[in-house]
Amino acid sequence: MRVRQEDFAEFYAAYRDGCLRAVLATVGDRMLAEDLVAEAFARAWASWSKVSRHPAPQAWVVRTAYNTHVSWWRRRRREVRLDGHDASAVEADAGVDPKVLAALRRLPTRQRDVVVLRIFLDLDTQTTARALDIAPGTVTAHLSRAVASLREQLVTVDAQEDGR
């Protein structure tokens, strides 16, 4: 039992920040992302014997956080938003440029998932493909399209800010 706790503690320390950035890139709200990641790590701990054998346990955590977000959204979709609350606001200390996060949120879901796993979590193409249950060639194609779209969006934003 002790080895299991130490292994999980090392996993948590090594991957918490990366998983948080990955989830934040999708949801755009720091507090929500922290809640989702905490819930996902709690579920990972509860299933650690299974999760520790996963080819990319950090991808498992991120996917669990995404699934939790969808479940929460379904339960809460009828709630009323308070005036003045901007759910897309991102705190500066998130570790990712808000312009990049905004551009990521404009990507199609699958492209965003590929970027998050390949770039934010630094997974290889094969592991990303297994985590998303798609072919490695599809991962490469989505990543290529996503990078091109991000480049176009971010260059356009920078050019507009420079007054070009």
Side-chain angles (χ1 to χ4, degrees):
M1 182 67 174
R2 177 52 80 193
V3 172
R4 184 175 157 198
Q5 286 179 330
E6 290 171 359
D7 288 348
F8 182 79
E10 289 174 12
F11 168 72
Y12 179 82
Y15 293 109
R16 186 219 178 251
D17 290 344
C19 290
L20 178 60
R21 282 191 298 275
V23 173
L24 179 61
T26 299
V27 300
D29 180 316
R30 173 86 179 191
M31 291 188 334
L32 175 60
E34 287 175 351
D35 287 346
L36 291 167
V37 169
E39 177 68 23
F41 271 106
R43 291 180 186 188
W45 167 246
S47 302
W48 186 237
S49 60
K50 176 183 110 179
V51 174
S52 64
R53 291 189 311 268
H54 191 278
Q58 67 272 37
W60 187 96
V61 168
V62 170
R63 176 57 62 192
T64 299
Y66 290 164
N67 292 343
T68 302
H69 184 240
V70 170
S71 295
W72 288 359
W73 175 82
R74 285 180 180 148
R75 276 186 255 138
R76 296 178 183 157
R77 67 180 166 213
R78 295 180 192 254
E79 292 180 6
V80 177
R81 182 181 298 226
L82 297 174
D83 288 337
H85 178 72
D86 182 5
S88 65
V90 179
E91 295 178 26
D93 68 342
V96 180
D97 186 325
K99 292 179 209 169
V100 174
L101 289 175
L104 279 169
R105 284 191 300 275
R106 288 190 290 268
L107 291 175
T109 303
R110 187 58 79 179
Q111 287 181 17
R112 186 173 52 238
D113 290 347
V114 168
V115 169
V116 164
L117 295 177
R118 289 282 290 125
I119 307 302
F120 283 56
L121 296 182
D122 197 27
L123 300 181
D124 62 33
T125 301
Q126 296 294 330
T127 306
T128 301
R130 282 193 304 271
L132 296 174
D133 197 26
I134 57 177
T138 305
V139 169
T140 304
H142 281 309
L143 183 61
S144 176
R145 289 183 195 120
V147 168
S149 178
L150 290 171
R151 184 176 294 127
E152 182 179 310
Q153 289 181 55
L154 295 172
V155 167
T156 302
V157 167
D158 286 344
Q160 288 173 352
E161 288 179 356
D162 291 343
R164 293 182 208 164

